[in-house]
Amino acid sequence: MGPLSYEFETADRTRTLWDPALRVGQLYVSLAQGAGEQLGLPTGLTPNERGGADVDLETFRKFTQGLYDAYCSTRNFLMHDLMRGLLLASIVMLENGGGAITRVPEREAGLLTEYDAYQRGMWVED
C-alpha cells in the first residue's frame, strides 16, 4: 500500500506546510505546475522520495505572488473562479511557512471570502 497523504515540507524539511490526502496533493501540484507554465514562473515545488514535495519558500512566494497578481489583473469572473482554489491554497501554505505576499485588497474581487475555511482545512501543527 502506498502513501495516504502528500506532505508539503520546507526544502530543509524542518516544517510541514500542508499534509493533504494523496490525491488532493497530487491535484494541487498538477494545477500549480500548469499555472506556473502559463505564467512563466517556477513553482518552487520539488517531488521528493517520500511521496510528497519539498517547497523552496522564496520561489514559492514568487509563484504565489505571480498568481495573485494575475488574479488581480483581470475582472474576468471565469478566470477568477478557475484560479481561486489554487491561489487560496497557495496563500495558506505560504503563510504556514511564515511567508506572505504583497496584497492590494481593493483589487481582490472577493478572493478571500473562503480564506478562513481554507485556513482551517489546511491547518498544521507546529
Side-chain angles (χ1 to χ4, degrees), residues 41-80:
L41 294 170
T43 63
L45 305 172
T46 304
N48 62 40
E49 70 282 353
R50 295 175 319 285
D54 295 330
V55 182
D56 177 287
L57 283 175
E58 182 55 24
T59 303
F60 186 69
R61 186 198 63 75
K62 290 176 183 175
F63 167 73
T64 303
Q65 185 71 57
L67 276 177
Y68 177 86
D69 293 345
Y71 182 95
C72 291
S73 72
T74 183
R75 294 180 184 205
N76 185 305
F77 76 95
L78 290 171
M79 184 65 82
H80 283 174

Side-chain angles (χ1 to χ4, degrees), residues 89-107:
S90 298
I91 290 170
V92 171
M93 192 166 24
L94 180 64
E95 289 174 350
N96 286 346
I101 58 170
T102 302
R103 295 183 41 227
V104 183
E106 61 271 13
R107 306 246 7 236

